[in-house]
Amino acid sequence: MKRLCVIPGDGIGHEVVPSAVRVLERLMPSLQVTEAEAGWECFQRHGCSVPDTTLKLMREYGAGLFGAVSSPAHRVEGYRSAILTLRQDLKLSVSLRPVRSWPGLSTRMDVNLLILRENSEGLYVGHEHMASADMAIAERHISRQASEHVAQRAAEVARLRDSQRITLVHKANVLPLTCGLFRDSCRNVLAAEGLAGLVDERLVDVAALQLIERPQDFDLLVTTNLFGDILSDLACYWSGGLGLAPSLNWGRGISIAEPVHGSAPDIAGSGKANPLAAILSAALLLRYHWHAGLLADQLERAVELLLTELSVAELGDQTTDIIERELLKRL
Ligand code: NAI
Ligand code: MG
């Protein structure tokens, strides 16, 4: 039996996650769902942003669906970002972020790419210090092991998607040690996997320009943590913006699906949150964690049908409930 640990978090996480769970339950009627806490409200209640009970449940269940968390605007003693804690403690060391055109929302219909972002190190190790009153230093950690791991996952995704090109994105001309190690480790793994013929590379600045100029030329992009964070937000412009951007924090036997958007305090409680990013994140759990590609296809086709039949204006005016109901009709 499949089990799912549900972590709504803060703000609209409480609205979009239950909606995505109801959709998943339609596709997997025997799914066992248990809710767990994390985030800013949780920190205010318990003094920690991710309780041990949540980590334990995640380890036991393997699959998680996370909404979004709010972050305090100023430094708060003892507070640690909930999603960074989950990614690090559960070794969810790759983030998978697909971007595709959707009818009615996208200004071009030929985009279908996927960004695989190293999710555990790079500049996000969070080692910052003041070397003097006028000099702040951030460390960037790149390891052979984490770089090889993201390349191995890229090989798996390339086979599943039947990819024709794998683009390594880096800045090895300026950062030859860190980016050089990333690029060479990825190249070695992909060659060992027999995929050397598909590998291509781009400097990150050129990749940003080309993602705007000719996004249709990209298939699978593999990159480091910060570059992947920025490029995936940029690329999701083609799918119609944050409301449609899903992601999967992908570990070995343990994954947390997560819409790219935040807790949207400006609309939280109004019923206006679009649940589709959370629902499409659930589709990633189906495809990459549960290996249920046919169910994922069915769910993505239903979203496509919904977007074909409802105009953007109609969609924009809808509440979370109506979008969910209209989607369920098309499943
Ligand atoms: P945000 O993504 O929450 O909101 C940006 C804008 O997009 C807002 O106008 C919001 O109403 C709208 N929006 C976002 N998701 C939507 C949806 N599903 N349907 C309709 N409209 C949607 O980003 P923002 O405002 O920068 O951050 C708000 C809070 O969220 C902050 O505390 C931030 O730290 C946190 N955040 C958390 C993330 C996470 O949990 N992974 C990611 C990004 C931000
Ligand atoms: Mg981001």
Side-chain angles (χ1 to χ4, degrees):
M1 195 202 351
K2 303 272 189 287
R3 299 192 291 181
L4 178 69
C5 171
V6 166
I7 309 169
D10 301 316
I12 62 167
H14 292 290
E15 299 157 44
V16 298
V17 165
S19 184
V21 168
R22 286 188 290 269
V23 170
L24 259 184
E25 283 173 332
R26 173 70 66 86
L27 290 166
M28 303 171 96
S30 62
L31 185 68
Q32 186 191 326
V33 177
T34 305
E35 194 168 315
E37 283 187 292
W40 177 238
E41 291 162 23
C42 171
F43 178 80
Q44 287 170 308
R45 269 195 301 273
H46 307 298
C48 77
S49 58
V50 182
D52 285 344
T53 45
T54 299
L55 290 168
K56 186 165 174 279
L57 199 70
M58 262 312 306
R59 288 198 178 95
E60 205 181 308
Y61 278 29
L65 179 61
F66 178 90
V69 288
S70 302
S71 307
H74 47 93
R75 197 181 140 85
V76 172
E77 201 49 45
Y79 179 79
R80 200 173 152 217
S81 155
I83 190 65
L84 286 184
T85 303
L86 287 163
R87 285 175 189 160
Q88 282 163 6
D89 289 14
L90 300 174
K91 298 198 170 39
L92 306 174
S93 45
V94 174
S95 171
L96 210 148
R97 297 184 166 210
V99 175
R100 54 159 286 186
S101 305
W102 291 106
L105 291 177
S106 304
T107 48
R108 53 188 304 160
M109 285 310 294
D110 54 358
V111 181
N112 185 1
L113 59 90
L114 195 151
I115 298 179
L116 267 173
R117 157 186 169 193
E118 200 293 318
N119 211 21
S120 68
E121 54 178 29
L123 268 170
Y124 289 9
V125 289
H127 292 199
E128 285 193 305
H129 68 275
M130 297 301 297
S132 71
D134 301 317
M135 173 64 77
I137 294 183
E139 290 173 23
R140 181 173 194 246
H141 292 203
I142 300 286
S143 69
R144 188 184 305 282
Q145 192 193 17
S147 306
E148 286 179 351
H149 180 71
V150 68
Q152 246 136 27
R153 302 314 305 253
E156 288 170 45
V157 175
R159 293 203 176 90
L160 264 177
R161 280 171 65 90
D162 195 20
S163 293
Q164 299 307 307
R165 176 178 298 176
I166 304 173
T167 309
L168 306 177
V169 179
H170 57 76
K171 189 74 182 177
N173 54 339
V174 177
L175 300 165
L177 293 185
T178 48
C179 273
L181 179 61
F182 177 78
R183 178 199 53 201
D184 297 345
S185 307
C186 288
R187 275 203 175 272
N188 289 341
V189 167
L190 293 166
E193 293 282 340
L195 299 172
L198 303 184
V199 181
D200 187 11
E201 51 183 276
R202 290 282 186 292
L203 296 176
V204 63
D205 39 1
V206 177
L209 173 65
Q210 293 182 346
L211 276 168
I212 297 300
E213 229 171 36
R214 37 194 165 96
Q216 76 281 8
D217 286 356
F218 290 96
D219 183 338
L220 201 56
L221 292 96
V222 184
T223 191
T224 51
N225 209 339
L226 175 66
F227 295 163
D229 191 2
I230 298 170
L231 291 182
S232 59
D233 272 33
L234 180 147
C236 84
Y237 171 78
W238 295 120
S239 62
L242 276 180
L244 268 289
S247 81
L248 185 70
N249 298 286
W250 199 26
R252 288 270 179 220
I254 180 162
S255 308
I256 298 184
E258 176 202 354
V260 173
H261 63 71
S263 59
D266 55 335
I267 57 165
S270 71
K272 287 219 161 268
N274 184 346
L276 289 177
I279 289 168
L280 290 168
S281 301
L284 296 179
L285 261 186
L286 286 167
R287 188 182 306 285
Y288 294 100
H289 181 79
W290 284 317
H291 308 291
L294 291 177
L295 291 179
D297 288 345
Q298 189 186 341
L299 181 48
E300 287 169 358
R301 266 200 310 274
V303 172
E304 190 165 350
L305 197 61
L306 173 80
L307 294 173
T308 307
E309 292 173 0
L310 280 186
S311 73
V312 182
E314 281 171 316
L315 191 71
D317 284 341
Q318 299 308 329
T319 57
T320 316
D321 294 351
I322 295 178
I323 296 176
E324 177 193 326
R325 195 179 69 213
E326 290 298 320
L327 181 68
L328 286 172
K329 276 191 212 161
R330 291 166 175 84
L331 258 187

